[in-house]
PDB file of all heavy atoms in Angstrom:
ATOM      1  N   ALA A   1      -3.193 -22.736 -10.792  1.00 91.00           N
ATOM      2  CA  ALA A   1      -4.193 -21.667 -10.755  1.00 91.00           C
ATOM      3  C   ALA A   1      -4.239 -20.873 -12.045  1.00 91.00           C
ATOM      4  O   ALA A   1      -5.362 -20.574 -12.460  1.00 91.00           O
ATOM      5  CB  ALA A   1      -3.732 -20.621  -9.665  1.00 91.00           C
ATOM      6  N   ILE A   2      -3.163 -20.573 -12.721  1.00 93.00           N
ATOM      7  CA  ILE A   2      -3.276 -19.982 -14.011  1.00 93.00           C
ATOM      8  C   ILE A   2      -3.832 -20.870 -14.947  1.00 93.00           C
ATOM      9  O   ILE A   2      -4.753 -20.483 -15.899  1.00 93.00           O
ATOM     10  CB  ILE A   2      -1.851 -19.585 -14.494  1.00 93.00           C
ATOM     11  CG1 ILE A   2      -1.189 -18.398 -13.541  1.00 93.00           C
ATOM     12  CG2 ILE A   2      -1.765 -19.181 -15.874  1.00 93.00           C
ATOM     13  CD1 ILE A   2       0.143 -18.156 -13.737  1.00 93.00           C
ATOM     14  N   ALA A   3      -3.471 -22.167 -15.041  1.00 91.00           N
ATOM     15  CA  ALA A   3      -4.053 -23.026 -16.065  1.00 91.00           C
ATOM     16  C   ALA A   3      -5.554 -23.288 -15.866  1.00 91.00           C
ATOM     17  O   ALA A   3      -6.330 -23.233 -16.787  1.00 91.00           O
ATOM     18  CB  ALA A   3      -3.364 -24.465 -15.968  1.00 91.00           C
ATOM     19  N   LEU A   4      -5.943 -23.561 -14.620  1.00 88.00           N
ATOM     20  CA  LEU A   4      -7.360 -23.700 -14.396  1.00 88.00           C
ATOM     21  C   LEU A   4      -8.279 -22.442 -14.604  1.00 88.00           C
ATOM     22  O   LEU A   4      -9.266 -22.437 -15.146  1.00 88.00           O
ATOM     23  CB  LEU A   4      -7.611 -24.271 -12.980  1.00 88.00           C
ATOM     24  CG  LEU A   4      -7.112 -25.742 -12.702  1.00 88.00           C
ATOM     25  CD1 LEU A   4      -7.312 -26.097 -11.369  1.00 88.00           C
ATOM     26  CD2 LEU A   4      -7.719 -26.683 -13.646  1.00 88.00           C
ATOM     27  N   GLY A   5      -7.649 -21.313 -14.143  1.00 88.00           N
ATOM     28  CA  GLY A   5      -8.278 -20.005 -14.323  1.00 88.00           C
ATOM     29  C   GLY A   5      -8.473 -19.737 -15.711  1.00 88.00           C
ATOM     30  O   GLY A   5      -9.489 -19.199 -16.154  1.00 88.00           O
ATOM     31  N   GLY A   6      -7.490 -19.958 -16.570  1.00 89.00           N
ATOM     32  CA  GLY A   6      -7.569 -19.775 -17.984  1.00 89.00           C
ATOM     33  C   GLY A   6      -8.643 -20.625 -18.646  1.00 89.00           C
ATOM     34  O   GLY A   6      -9.359 -20.106 -19.552  1.00 89.00           O
ATOM     35  N   MET A   7      -8.769 -21.893 -18.175  1.00 88.00           N
ATOM     36  CA  MET A   7      -9.837 -22.755 -18.740  1.00 88.00           C
ATOM     37  C   MET A   7     -11.264 -22.121 -18.462  1.00 88.00           C
ATOM     38  O   MET A   7     -12.191 -22.271 -19.193  1.00 88.00           O
ATOM     39  CB  MET A   7      -9.723 -24.150 -18.155  1.00 88.00           C
ATOM     40  CG  MET A   7      -8.454 -24.927 -18.851  1.00 88.00           C
ATOM     41  SD  MET A   7      -8.648 -25.135 -20.551  1.00 88.00           S
ATOM     42  CE  MET A   7     -10.197 -26.102 -20.673  1.00 88.00           C
ATOM     43  N   VAL A   8     -11.409 -21.780 -17.129  1.00 86.00           N
ATOM     44  CA  VAL A   8     -12.695 -21.193 -16.657  1.00 86.00           C
ATOM     45  C   VAL A   8     -13.037 -19.939 -17.508  1.00 86.00           C
ATOM     46  O   VAL A   8     -14.195 -19.735 -17.947  1.00 86.00           O
ATOM     47  CB  VAL A   8     -12.636 -20.860 -15.239  1.00 86.00           C
ATOM     48  CG1 VAL A   8     -13.885 -20.034 -14.835  1.00 86.00           C
ATOM     49  CG2 VAL A   8     -12.529 -22.218 -14.372  1.00 86.00           C
ATOM     50  N   GLN A   9     -12.076 -19.074 -17.757  1.00 85.00           N
ATOM     51  CA  GLN A   9     -12.271 -17.856 -18.490  1.00 85.00           C
ATOM     52  C   GLN A   9     -12.675 -18.165 -19.960  1.00 85.00           C
ATOM     53  O   GLN A   9     -13.546 -17.553 -20.462  1.00 85.00           O
ATOM     54  CB  GLN A   9     -11.115 -16.947 -18.478  1.00 85.00           C
ATOM     55  CG  GLN A   9     -11.311 -15.596 -19.159  1.00 85.00           C
ATOM     56  CD  GLN A   9     -10.302 -14.527 -18.825  1.00 85.00           C
ATOM     57  OE1 GLN A   9      -9.664 -14.572 -17.762  1.00 85.00           O
ATOM     58  NE2 GLN A   9     -10.004 -13.675 -19.792  1.00 85.00           N
ATOM     59  N   SER A  10     -11.896 -19.073 -20.498  1.00 86.00           N
ATOM     60  CA  SER A  10     -12.199 -19.482 -21.891  1.00 86.00           C
ATOM     61  C   SER A  10     -13.651 -20.101 -22.047  1.00 86.00           C
ATOM     62  O   SER A  10     -14.355 -19.815 -22.964  1.00 86.00           O
ATOM     63  CB  SER A  10     -11.234 -20.573 -22.393  1.00 86.00           C
ATOM     64  OG  SER A  10     -11.540 -21.003 -23.649  1.00 86.00           O
ATOM     65  N   TRP A  11     -14.067 -20.843 -20.993  1.00 86.00           N
ATOM     66  CA  TRP A  11     -15.360 -21.410 -20.916  1.00 86.00           C
ATOM     67  C   TRP A  11     -16.397 -20.370 -20.896  1.00 86.00           C
ATOM     68  O   TRP A  11     -17.478 -20.376 -21.572  1.00 86.00           O
ATOM     69  CB  TRP A  11     -15.495 -22.467 -19.802  1.00 86.00           C
ATOM     70  CG  TRP A  11     -16.816 -22.961 -19.602  1.00 86.00           C
ATOM     71  CD1 TRP A  11     -17.377 -24.036 -20.250  1.00 86.00           C
ATOM     72  CD2 TRP A  11     -17.888 -22.545 -18.528  1.00 86.00           C
ATOM     73  NE1 TRP A  11     -18.655 -24.385 -19.791  1.00 86.00           N
ATOM     74  CE2 TRP A  11     -18.933 -23.360 -18.868  1.00 86.00           C
ATOM     75  CE3 TRP A  11     -17.922 -21.568 -17.673  1.00 86.00           C
ATOM     76  CZ2 TRP A  11     -20.162 -23.231 -18.081  1.00 86.00           C
ATOM     77  CZ3 TRP A  11     -19.071 -21.334 -16.914  1.00 86.00           C
ATOM     78  CH2 TRP A  11     -20.232 -22.231 -17.164  1.00 86.00           C
ATOM     79  N   LEU A  12     -16.201 -19.307 -20.015  1.00 83.00           N
ATOM     80  CA  LEU A  12     -17.135 -18.208 -19.909  1.00 83.00           C
ATOM     81  C   LEU A  12     -17.250 -17.353 -21.154  1.00 83.00           C
ATOM     82  O   LEU A  12     -18.418 -16.947 -21.545  1.00 83.00           O
ATOM     83  CB  LEU A  12     -16.698 -17.242 -18.792  1.00 83.00           C
ATOM     84  CG  LEU A  12     -16.949 -17.729 -17.350  1.00 83.00           C
ATOM     85  CD1 LEU A  12     -16.259 -16.905 -16.381  1.00 83.00           C
ATOM     86  CD2 LEU A  12     -18.490 -17.680 -17.109  1.00 83.00           C
ATOM     87  N   GLU A  13     -16.250 -17.237 -21.917  1.00 81.00           N
ATOM     88  CA  GLU A  13     -16.180 -16.390 -23.095  1.00 81.00           C
ATOM     89  C   GLU A  13     -16.695 -17.196 -24.307  1.00 81.00           C
ATOM     90  O   GLU A  13     -16.892 -16.709 -25.389  1.00 81.00           O
ATOM     91  CB  GLU A  13     -14.841 -15.972 -23.430  1.00 81.00           C
ATOM     92  CG  GLU A  13     -14.341 -14.992 -22.441  1.00 81.00           C
ATOM     93  CD  GLU A  13     -12.835 -14.479 -22.542  1.00 81.00           C
ATOM     94  OE1 GLU A  13     -12.153 -15.106 -23.319  1.00 81.00           O
ATOM     95  OE2 GLU A  13     -12.474 -13.471 -21.923  1.00 81.00           O
ATOM     96  N   THR A  14     -16.955 -18.536 -24.231  1.00 81.00           N
ATOM     97  CA  THR A  14     -17.461 -19.340 -25.338  1.00 81.00           C
ATOM     98  C   THR A  14     -18.986 -19.298 -25.193  1.00 81.00           C
ATOM     99  O   THR A  14     -19.526 -19.433 -24.120  1.00 81.00           O
ATOM    100  CB  THR A  14     -16.935 -20.775 -25.225  1.00 81.00           C
ATOM    101  OG1 THR A  14     -15.527 -20.781 -25.237  1.00 81.00           O
ATOM    102  CG2 THR A  14     -17.532 -21.662 -26.462  1.00 81.00           C
ATOM    103  N   SER A  15     -19.693 -19.145 -26.327  1.00 75.00           N
ATOM    104  CA  SER A  15     -21.172 -19.030 -26.250  1.00 75.00           C
ATOM    105  C   SER A  15     -21.741 -20.049 -27.153  1.00 75.00           C
ATOM    106  O   SER A  15     -21.202 -20.718 -27.984  1.00 75.00           O
ATOM    107  CB  SER A  15     -21.698 -17.686 -26.603  1.00 75.00           C
ATOM    108  OG  SER A  15     -21.256 -17.379 -27.953  1.00 75.00           O
ATOM    109  N   GLY A  16     -23.039 -20.241 -26.974  1.00 75.00           N
ATOM    110  CA  GLY A  16     -23.770 -21.223 -27.864  1.00 75.00           C
ATOM    111  C   GLY A  16     -23.507 -22.698 -27.665  1.00 75.00           C
ATOM    112  O   GLY A  16     -23.099 -23.133 -26.452  1.00 75.00           O
ATOM    113  N   THR A  17     -23.757 -23.408 -28.650  1.00 77.00           N
ATOM    114  CA  THR A  17     -23.500 -24.886 -28.488  1.00 77.00           C
ATOM    115  C   THR A  17     -22.107 -25.353 -28.398  1.00 77.00           C
ATOM    116  O   THR A  17     -21.768 -26.463 -28.066  1.00 77.00           O
ATOM    117  CB  THR A  17     -24.213 -25.534 -29.727  1.00 77.00           C
ATOM    118  OG1 THR A  17     -23.527 -25.059 -30.948  1.00 77.00           O
ATOM    119  CG2 THR A  17     -25.707 -25.339 -29.801  1.00 77.00           C
ATOM    120  N   ALA A  18     -21.167 -24.428 -28.704  1.00 77.00           N
ATOM    121  CA  ALA A  18     -19.774 -24.732 -28.600  1.00 77.00           C
ATOM    122  C   ALA A  18     -19.290 -24.845 -27.139  1.00 77.00           C
ATOM    123  O   ALA A  18     -18.245 -25.461 -26.852  1.00 77.00           O
ATOM    124  CB  ALA A  18     -18.925 -23.781 -29.278  1.00 77.00           C
ATOM    125  N   ARG A  19     -20.054 -24.312 -26.188  1.00 79.00           N
ATOM    126  CA  ARG A  19     -19.734 -24.383 -24.811  1.00 79.00           C
ATOM    127  C   ARG A  19     -20.238 -25.553 -24.069  1.00 79.00           C
ATOM    128  O   ARG A  19     -21.448 -25.867 -24.133  1.00 79.00           O
ATOM    129  CB  ARG A  19     -20.183 -23.125 -24.043  1.00 79.00           C
ATOM    130  CG  ARG A  19     -19.635 -22.998 -22.708  1.00 79.00           C
ATOM    131  CD  ARG A  19     -19.786 -21.654 -22.061  1.00 79.00           C
ATOM    132  NE  ARG A  19     -21.197 -21.471 -21.394  1.00 79.00           N
ATOM    133  CZ  ARG A  19     -21.476 -20.506 -20.826  1.00 79.00           C
ATOM    134  NH1 ARG A  19     -20.564 -19.408 -20.522  1.00 79.00           N
ATOM    135  NH2 ARG A  19     -22.742 -20.388 -20.220  1.00 79.00           N
ATOM    136  N   MET A  20     -19.437 -26.401 -23.505  1.00 85.00           N
ATOM    137  CA  MET A  20     -19.751 -27.552 -22.765  1.00 85.00           C
ATOM    138  C   MET A  20     -20.503 -27.054 -21.486  1.00 85.00           C
ATOM    139  O   MET A  20     -20.290 -25.921 -21.053  1.00 85.00           O
ATOM    140  CB  MET A  20     -18.550 -28.478 -22.480  1.00 85.00           C
ATOM    141  CG  MET A  20     -17.538 -27.748 -21.525  1.00 85.00           C
ATOM    142  SD  MET A  20     -16.113 -28.938 -21.234  1.00 85.00           S
ATOM    143  CE  MET A  20     -15.235 -28.887 -22.797  1.00 85.00           C
ATOM    144  N   SER A  21     -21.176 -28.009 -20.862  1.00 86.00           N
ATOM    145  CA  SER A  21     -21.891 -27.617 -19.667  1.00 86.00           C
ATOM    146  C   SER A  21     -20.851 -27.581 -18.490  1.00 86.00           C
ATOM    147  O   SER A  21     -19.618 -28.052 -18.576  1.00 86.00           O
ATOM    148  CB  SER A  21     -22.870 -28.809 -19.254  1.00 86.00           C
ATOM    149  OG  SER A  21     -22.162 -29.971 -18.871  1.00 86.00           O
ATOM    150  N   SER A  22     -21.173 -26.835 -17.435  1.00 84.00           N
ATOM    151  CA  SER A  22     -20.239 -26.700 -16.338  1.00 84.00           C
ATOM    152  C   SER A  22     -19.911 -28.037 -15.759  1.00 84.00           C
ATOM    153  O   SER A  22     -18.808 -28.326 -15.305  1.00 84.00           O
ATOM    154  CB  SER A  22     -20.916 -25.855 -15.265  1.00 84.00           C
ATOM    155  OG  SER A  22     -22.010 -26.344 -14.706  1.00 84.00           O
ATOM    156  N   GLN A  23     -20.785 -29.032 -15.641  1.00 86.00           N
ATOM    157  CA  GLN A  23     -20.513 -30.314 -15.061  1.00 86.00           C
ATOM    158  C   GLN A  23     -19.575 -31.019 -15.944  1.00 86.00           C
ATOM    159  O   GLN A  23     -18.647 -31.792 -15.484  1.00 86.00           O
ATOM    160  CB  GLN A  23     -21.750 -31.123 -14.919  1.00 86.00           C
ATOM    161  CG  GLN A  23     -22.694 -30.634 -13.693  1.00 86.00           C
ATOM    162  CD  GLN A  23     -21.910 -30.639 -12.410  1.00 86.00           C
ATOM    163  OE1 GLN A  23     -21.298 -31.601 -12.060  1.00 86.00           O
ATOM    164  NE2 GLN A  23     -21.896 -29.548 -11.676  1.00 86.00           N
ATOM    165  N   GLU A  24     -19.703 -30.865 -17.308  1.00 89.00           N
ATOM    166  CA  GLU A  24     -18.741 -31.616 -18.148  1.00 89.00           C
ATOM    167  C   GLU A  24     -17.427 -31.021 -17.972  1.00 89.00           C
ATOM    168  O   GLU A  24     -16.409 -31.743 -18.086  1.00 89.00           O
ATOM    169  CB  GLU A  24     -19.224 -31.416 -19.676  1.00 89.00           C
ATOM    170  CG  GLU A  24     -18.406 -32.130 -20.660  1.00 89.00           C
ATOM    171  CD  GLU A  24     -18.887 -32.069 -22.040  1.00 89.00           C
ATOM    172  OE1 GLU A  24     -19.928 -31.376 -22.325  1.00 89.00           O
ATOM    173  OE2 GLU A  24     -18.215 -32.650 -22.978  1.00 89.00           O
ATOM    174  N   LEU A  25     -17.210 -29.662 -17.890  1.00 86.00           N
ATOM    175  CA  LEU A  25     -16.019 -29.000 -17.776  1.00 86.00           C
ATOM    176  C   LEU A  25     -15.355 -29.525 -16.467  1.00 86.00           C
ATOM    177  O   LEU A  25     -14.188 -29.767 -16.340  1.00 86.00           O
ATOM    178  CB  LEU A  25     -16.091 -27.523 -17.789  1.00 86.00           C
ATOM    179  CG  LEU A  25     -14.744 -26.737 -17.548  1.00 86.00           C
ATOM    180  CD1 LEU A  25     -13.813 -27.114 -18.533  1.00 86.00           C
ATOM    181  CD2 LEU A  25     -15.026 -25.227 -17.510  1.00 86.00           C
ATOM    182  N   ILE A  26     -16.074 -29.504 -15.461  1.00 84.00           N
ATOM    183  CA  ILE A  26     -15.601 -30.054 -14.027  1.00 84.00           C
ATOM    184  C   ILE A  26     -15.026 -31.462 -14.197  1.00 84.00           C
ATOM    185  O   ILE A  26     -13.945 -31.706 -13.676  1.00 84.00           O
ATOM    186  CB  ILE A  26     -16.693 -29.877 -12.974  1.00 84.00           C
ATOM    187  CG1 ILE A  26     -16.968 -28.492 -12.644  1.00 84.00           C
ATOM    188  CG2 ILE A  26     -16.229 -30.728 -11.712  1.00 84.00           C
ATOM    189  CD1 ILE A  26     -18.205 -28.301 -11.809  1.00 84.00           C
ATOM    190  N   HIS A  27     -15.789 -32.322 -14.899  1.00 85.00           N
ATOM    191  CA  HIS A  27     -15.360 -33.722 -15.089  1.00 85.00           C
ATOM    192  C   HIS A  27     -14.123 -33.709 -15.878  1.00 85.00           C
ATOM    193  O   HIS A  27     -13.223 -34.550 -15.511  1.00 85.00           O
ATOM    194  CB  HIS A  27     -16.580 -34.462 -15.782  1.00 85.00           C
ATOM    195  CG  HIS A  27     -16.155 -35.803 -16.127  1.00 85.00           C
ATOM    196  ND1 HIS A  27     -15.931 -36.806 -15.136  1.00 85.00           N
ATOM    197  CD2 HIS A  27     -15.999 -36.480 -17.262  1.00 85.00           C
ATOM    198  CE1 HIS A  27     -15.678 -37.934 -15.654  1.00 85.00           C
ATOM    199  NE2 HIS A  27     -15.683 -37.815 -17.000  1.00 85.00           N
ATOM    200  N   MET A  28     -14.010 -32.976 -16.967  1.00 87.00           N
ATOM    201  CA  MET A  28     -12.850 -32.983 -17.775  1.00 87.00           C
ATOM    202  C   MET A  28     -11.609 -32.485 -17.078  1.00 87.00           C
ATOM    203  O   MET A  28     -10.462 -33.057 -17.193  1.00 87.00           O
ATOM    204  CB  MET A  28     -13.063 -32.127 -19.124  1.00 87.00           C
ATOM    205  CG  MET A  28     -14.209 -32.608 -19.973  1.00 87.00           C
ATOM    206  SD  MET A  28     -13.706 -34.171 -20.951  1.00 87.00           S
ATOM    207  CE  MET A  28     -12.835 -33.465 -22.153  1.00 87.00           C
ATOM    208  N   LEU A  29     -11.755 -31.466 -16.299  1.00 84.00           N
ATOM    209  CA  LEU A  29     -10.660 -30.938 -15.486  1.00 84.00           C
ATOM    210  C   LEU A  29     -10.233 -31.962 -14.391  1.00 84.00           C
ATOM    211  O   LEU A  29      -9.004 -32.120 -14.283  1.00 84.00           O
ATOM    212  CB  LEU A  29     -11.054 -29.673 -14.874  1.00 84.00           C
ATOM    213  CG  LEU A  29     -11.182 -28.447 -15.720  1.00 84.00           C
ATOM    214  CD1 LEU A  29     -11.798 -27.250 -14.896  1.00 84.00           C
ATOM    215  CD2 LEU A  29      -9.865 -27.965 -16.345  1.00 84.00           C
ATOM    216  N   ASN A  30     -11.196 -32.625 -13.824  1.00 82.00           N
ATOM    217  CA  ASN A  30     -10.900 -33.535 -12.824  1.00 82.00           C
ATOM    218  C   ASN A  30     -10.170 -34.776 -13.380  1.00 82.00           C
ATOM    219  O   ASN A  30      -9.067 -35.212 -12.885  1.00 82.00           O
ATOM    220  CB  ASN A  30     -12.137 -34.051 -12.100  1.00 82.00           C
ATOM    221  CG  ASN A  30     -11.937 -34.594 -10.778  1.00 82.00           C
ATOM    222  OD1 ASN A  30     -11.123 -34.188 -10.012  1.00 82.00           O
ATOM    223  ND2 ASN A  30     -12.650 -35.662 -10.510  1.00 82.00           N
ATOM    224  N   LEU A  31     -10.528 -35.164 -14.603  1.00 83.00           N
ATOM    225  CA  LEU A  31      -9.778 -36.346 -15.211  1.00 83.00           C
ATOM    226  C   LEU A  31      -8.401 -35.910 -15.597  1.00 83.00           C
ATOM    227  O   LEU A  31      -7.386 -36.746 -15.433  1.00 83.00           O
ATOM    228  CB  LEU A  31     -10.535 -36.676 -16.528  1.00 83.00           C
ATOM    229  CG  LEU A  31     -11.770 -37.526 -16.427  1.00 83.00           C
ATOM    230  CD1 LEU A  31     -12.337 -37.643 -17.866  1.00 83.00           C
ATOM    231  CD2 LEU A  31     -11.401 -38.911 -15.911  1.00 83.00           C
ATOM    232  N   THR A  32      -8.201 -34.624 -15.941  1.00 85.00           N
ATOM    233  CA  THR A  32      -6.865 -34.208 -16.478  1.00 85.00           C
ATOM    234  C   THR A  32      -5.815 -33.978 -15.463  1.00 85.00           C
ATOM    235  O   THR A  32      -4.680 -34.364 -15.664  1.00 85.00           O
ATOM    236  CB  THR A  32      -7.183 -32.910 -17.327  1.00 85.00           C
ATOM    237  OG1 THR A  32      -8.018 -33.132 -18.356  1.00 85.00           O
ATOM    238  CG2 THR A  32      -5.779 -32.410 -17.968  1.00 85.00           C
ATOM    239  N   VAL A  33      -6.268 -33.469 -14.266  1.00 83.00           N
ATOM    240  CA  VAL A  33      -5.273 -33.070 -13.298  1.00 83.00           C
ATOM    241  C   VAL A  33      -5.240 -33.840 -12.087  1.00 83.00           C
ATOM    242  O   VAL A  33      -4.182 -33.766 -11.270  1.00 83.00           O
ATOM    243  CB  VAL A  33      -5.471 -31.551 -12.913  1.00 83.00           C
ATOM    244  CG1 VAL A  33      -5.488 -30.653 -14.114  1.00 83.00           C
ATOM    245  CG2 VAL A  33      -6.830 -31.438 -12.197  1.00 83.00           C
ATOM    246  N   THR A  34      -6.121 -34.791 -11.697  1.00 80.00           N
ATOM    247  CA  THR A  34      -6.089 -35.550 -10.530  1.00 80.00           C
ATOM    248  C   THR A  34      -4.887 -36.350 -10.449  1.00 80.00           C
ATOM    249  O   THR A  34      -4.495 -37.113 -11.381  1.00 80.00           O
ATOM    250  CB  THR A  34      -7.366 -36.435 -10.425  1.00 80.00           C
ATOM    251  OG1 THR A  34      -8.615 -35.648 -10.355  1.00 80.00           O
ATOM    252  CG2 THR A  34      -7.258 -37.417  -9.187  1.00 80.00           C
ATOM    253  N   GLY A  35      -4.192 -36.297  -9.433  1.00 84.00           N
ATOM    254  CA  GLY A  35      -2.927 -37.028  -9.079  1.00 84.00           C
ATOM    255  C   GLY A  35      -1.611 -36.426  -9.559  1.00 84.00           C
ATOM    256  O   GLY A  35      -0.529 -36.800  -9.187  1.00 84.00           O
ATOM    257  N   ASN A  36      -1.799 -35.348 -10.347  1.00 88.00           N
ATOM    258  CA  ASN A  36      -0.618 -34.616 -10.863  1.00 88.00           C
ATOM    259  C   ASN A  36       0.236 -33.887  -9.917  1.00 88.00           C
ATOM    260  O   ASN A  36       1.367 -34.015  -9.818  1.00 88.00           O
ATOM    261  CB  ASN A  36      -0.969 -33.726 -12.083  1.00 88.00           C
ATOM    262  CG  ASN A  36      -1.433 -34.468 -13.309  1.00 88.00           C
ATOM    263  OD1 ASN A  36      -1.302 -35.722 -13.400  1.00 88.00           O
ATOM    264  ND2 ASN A  36      -2.030 -33.726 -14.213  1.00 88.00           N
ATOM    265  N   ILE A  37      -0.475 -33.191  -8.952  1.00 88.00           N
ATOM    266  CA  ILE A  37       0.334 -32.465  -7.950  1.00 88.00           C
ATOM    267  C   ILE A  37       0.985 -33.433  -7.034  1.00 88.00           C
ATOM    268  O   ILE A  37       2.185 -33.233  -6.738  1.00 88.00           O
ATOM    269  CB  ILE A  37      -0.662 -31.578  -7.130  1.00 88.00           C
ATOM    270  CG1 ILE A  37      -1.027 -30.326  -7.967  1.00 88.00           C
ATOM    271  CG2 ILE A  37       0.023 -31.236  -5.778  1.00 88.00           C
ATOM    272  CD1 ILE A  37      -1.831 -29.325  -7.187  1.00 88.00           C
ATOM    273  N   GLU A  38       0.400 -34.453  -6.586  1.00 88.00           N
ATOM    274  CA  GLU A  38       0.894 -35.468  -5.725  1.00 88.00           C
ATOM    275  C   GLU A  38       2.142 -36.074  -6.365  1.00 88.00           C
ATOM    276  O   GLU A  38       3.263 -36.125  -5.692  1.00 88.00           O
ATOM    277  CB  GLU A  38      -0.049 -36.613  -5.301  1.00 88.00           C
ATOM    278  CG  GLU A  38       0.602 -37.634  -4.402  1.00 88.00           C
ATOM    279  CD  GLU A  38      -0.421 -38.574  -4.087  1.00 88.00           C
ATOM    280  OE1 GLU A  38      -1.359 -39.022  -5.001  1.00 88.00           O
ATOM    281  OE2 GLU A  38      -0.467 -39.183  -3.020  1.00 88.00           O
ATOM    282  N   ALA A  39       2.069 -36.412  -7.645  1.00 91.00           N
ATOM    283  CA  ALA A  39       3.216 -36.998  -8.411  1.00 91.00           C
ATOM    284  C   ALA A  39       4.425 -36.090  -8.412  1.00 91.00           C
ATOM    285  O   ALA A  39       5.474 -36.403  -8.353  1.00 91.00           O
ATOM    286  CB  ALA A  39       2.803 -37.539  -9.716  1.00 91.00           C
ATOM    287  N   ALA A  40       4.032 -34.761  -8.743  1.00 93.00           N
ATOM    288  CA  ALA A  40       4.975 -33.718  -8.936  1.00 93.00           C
ATOM    289  C   ALA A  40       5.768 -33.494  -7.684  1.00 93.00           C
ATOM    290  O   ALA A  40       7.007 -33.341  -7.669  1.00 93.00           O
ATOM    291  CB  ALA A  40       4.435 -32.453  -9.533  1.00 93.00           C
ATOM    292  N   LEU A  41       5.099 -33.397  -6.502  1.00 92.00           N
ATOM    293  CA  LEU A  41       5.757 -33.165  -5.216  1.00 92.00           C
ATOM    294  C   LEU A  41       6.684 -34.300  -4.862  1.00 92.00           C
ATOM    295  O   LEU A  41       7.769 -34.081  -4.277  1.00 92.00           O
ATOM    296  CB  LEU A  41       4.615 -33.000  -4.144  1.00 92.00           C
ATOM    297  CG  LEU A  41       3.793 -31.692  -4.305  1.00 92.00           C
ATOM    298  CD1 LEU A  41       2.629 -31.802  -3.290  1.00 92.00           C
ATOM    299  CD2 LEU A  41       4.722 -30.440  -3.881  1.00 92.00           C
ATOM    300  N   ILE A  42       6.288 -35.546  -5.194  1.00 93.00           N
ATOM    301  CA  ILE A  42       7.030 -36.692  -4.848  1.00 93.00           C
ATOM    302  C   ILE A  42       8.304 -36.597  -5.736  1.00 93.00           C
ATOM    303  O   ILE A  42       9.465 -36.850  -5.236  1.00 93.00           O
ATOM    304  CB  ILE A  42       6.350 -38.032  -5.120  1.00 93.00           C
ATOM    305  CG1 ILE A  42       5.267 -38.200  -4.102  1.00 93.00           C
ATOM    306  CG2 ILE A  42       7.329 -39.197  -5.148  1.00 93.00           C
ATOM    307  CD1 ILE A  42       4.289 -39.343  -4.337  1.00 93.00           C
ATOM    308  N   ARG A  43       8.187 -36.247  -7.087  1.00 95.00           N
ATOM    309  CA  ARG A  43       9.482 -36.117  -7.825  1.00 95.00           C
ATOM    310  C   ARG A  43      10.342 -35.062  -7.318  1.00 95.00           C
ATOM    311  O   ARG A  43      11.633 -35.174  -7.338  1.00 95.00           O
ATOM    312  CB  ARG A  43       8.993 -35.811  -9.267  1.00 95.00           C
ATOM    313  CG  ARG A  43       8.403 -36.985 -10.041  1.00 95.00           C
ATOM    314  CD  ARG A  43       8.426 -36.752 -11.538  1.00 95.00           C
ATOM    315  NE  ARG A  43       7.505 -35.610 -11.880  1.00 95.00           N
ATOM    316  CZ  ARG A  43       6.203 -35.855 -12.141  1.00 95.00           C
ATOM    317  NH1 ARG A  43       5.655 -36.888 -12.106  1.00 95.00           N
ATOM    318  NH2 ARG A  43       5.469 -34.735 -12.481  1.00 95.00           N
ATOM    319  N   ALA A  44       9.733 -33.909  -6.894  1.00 93.00           N
ATOM    320  CA  ALA A  44      10.576 -32.833  -6.373  1.00 93.00           C
ATOM    321  C   ALA A  44      11.320 -33.233  -5.186  1.00 93.00           C
ATOM    322  O   ALA A  44      12.549 -32.809  -4.889  1.00 93.00           O
ATOM    323  CB  ALA A  44       9.640 -31.659  -6.057  1.00 93.00           C
ATOM    324  N   ALA A  45      10.630 -33.999  -4.323  1.00 93.00           N
ATOM    325  CA  ALA A  45      11.313 -34.464  -2.960  1.00 93.00           C
ATOM    326  C   ALA A  45      12.443 -35.503  -3.335  1.00 93.00           C
ATOM    327  O   ALA A  45      13.467 -35.431  -2.757  1.00 93.00           O
ATOM    328  CB  ALA A  45      10.260 -35.111  -2.163  1.00 93.00           C
ATOM    329  N   ASN A  46      12.166 -36.345  -4.227  1.00 91.00           N
ATOM    330  CA  ASN A  46      13.193 -37.286  -4.620  1.00 91.00           C
ATOM    331  C   ASN A  46      14.422 -36.674  -5.278  1.00 91.00           C
ATOM    332  O   ASN A  46      15.488 -37.252  -5.224  1.00 91.00           O
ATOM    333  CB  ASN A  46      12.575 -38.452  -5.675  1.00 91.00           C
ATOM    334  CG  ASN A  46      11.621 -39.252  -5.009  1.00 91.00           C
ATOM    335  OD1 ASN A  46      11.549 -39.464  -3.727  1.00 91.00           O
ATOM    336  ND2 ASN A  46      10.718 -39.996  -5.667  1.00 91.00           N
ATOM    337  N   GLU A  47      14.152 -35.568  -6.014  1.00 88.00           N
ATOM    338  CA  GLU A  47      15.364 -34.912  -6.581  1.00 88.00           C
ATOM    339  C   GLU A  47      16.325 -34.443  -5.486  1.00 88.00           C
ATOM    340  O   GLU A  47      17.561 -34.257  -5.852  1.00 88.00           O
ATOM    341  CB  GLU A  47      14.828 -33.657  -7.383  1.00 88.00           C
ATOM    342  CG  GLU A  47      14.536 -33.903  -8.905  1.00 88.00           C
ATOM    343  CD  GLU A  47      14.543 -32.704  -9.646  1.00 88.00           C
ATOM    344  OE1 GLU A  47      14.600 -31.620  -9.044  1.00 88.00           O
ATOM    345  OE2 GLU A  47      14.374 -32.726 -10.860  1.00 88.00           O
TER     346      GLU A  47
END
């Protein structure tokens, strides 16, 4: 929540051509975090 919230706030505070589109940001976030929670929970359970 903190990591994603920070990315959203950073995106909002960026202006002009430096700011990617909302769809691009959604795509980049999805690429970056998909599968990570599932893997982390499995590791925690295995510990």
Side-chain angles (χ1 to χ4, degrees):
I2 292 172
L4 294 175
M7 288 299 300
V8 170
Q9 184 167 332
S10 175
W11 177 80
L12 281 168
E13 292 173 348
T14 303
S15 59
T17 57
R19 188 167 83 173
M20 67 180 73
S21 70
S22 58
Q23 287 304 311
E24 185 179 1
L25 178 58
I26 291 169
H27 177 66
M28 296 288 279
L29 289 172
N30 201 41
L31 277 178
T32 303
V33 300
T34 295
N36 289 349
I37 282 185
E38 183 179 30
L41 290 169
I42 290 171
R43 286 195 296 271
N46 287 338
E47 266 195 357

